[in-house]
Amino acid sequence: RAGIAILILSASVGFSRAILAPNRPDWRLARANENEARSLARHILTAVAIVATGIVLQGIADAANVPQSLIVLIGGMICLGFMWALWTALKPYRSILDDGAASSGQGRMKYAGILRFISLAGSLVLAVIGISVLSGYVPLAWFLSKQIVWVGIVFCSYALIANLIETAGDLVLSPDGAASARIARLTGMRRPSVAQFGIIGSGLIKLLLVGVGAIAVAAPWGFESVGIFEQAQSLMIGFQIGGINISLSTIAGGIIVFVVSLLLARSFKAWLGERLLPATSLDPGLKNSISTTFGYIGFIAAVVIAFGFVGIDLSQLGLVA
């Protein structure tokens, strides 16, 4: 388990240098000043180091047959230390989001909605960790602590790969670039059209990465890549009303599906309005109309997907689209 701990620490150090880049503002991907970047990197690395230490101690305890009471005590202290370190990092993290929203030329920070959702979800999970430790459910708190670290690694991997794809697409398929001119000559397309296809291609690759990331996040919870939603629905226990299964888990799952679907729809709308449509020669009013229309379509799709997850057939409600 020492090897796993070293891998986790190494990945965290690498991601902090790549995304926050303390002492290297010209390399920094996150919208943060020097003090914010240093503080956030320090607290995150501290939290990850605490979890890595817990993994090593857990391996030692299993090998040395340490009494269960001592294992629970050490695990509780590790979880509380992790919760404190990460909770301390959330305050400057929120200020980074607020500063980014105020200073962004588009009036908001890129991916601000998704980042705020992650911040809120992280706060709730940390609260559950603290309550679990105080209630004696240390294994649950330890499992959630490790899952936060794993989700952070998956998200940082996606952010770096997505940024690399976007930057490479802009450099290679720029309307003024040599590669774009060569592709235009070979295919007979106009240079702006080549750039548009590059934007669409990068968007599809990002969508594929989102799917891979979702599977990676769901894997530790026992879900396989095939039939994730079928397995999730099989766990739902409730009562039947008119052929519809009603339970707290069903309602909670529907809300989560709706929020995630809405965030994805808004991200697609933002990508459409900030990346694809500006690369076209359409009228500004038409661009705005297309972006707004896709916003409505995304909201409706999120509602339909959420109702479908819960098991409600919209046709049974007599709704007319």
Side-chain angles (χ1 to χ4, degrees), residues 120-161:
L120 176 61
S123 300
L124 293 176
V125 174
L126 289 178
V128 173
I129 290 175
I131 294 173
S132 299
V133 173
L134 297 178
S135 302
Y137 295 97
V138 176
L140 174 61
W142 176 236
F143 175 77
L144 293 177
S145 300
K146 292 189 292 185
Q147 293 314 301
I148 290 179
V149 175
W150 172 241
V151 171
I153 292 175
V154 172
F155 179 79
C156 290
S157 300
Y158 167 80
L160 286 178
I161 297 175

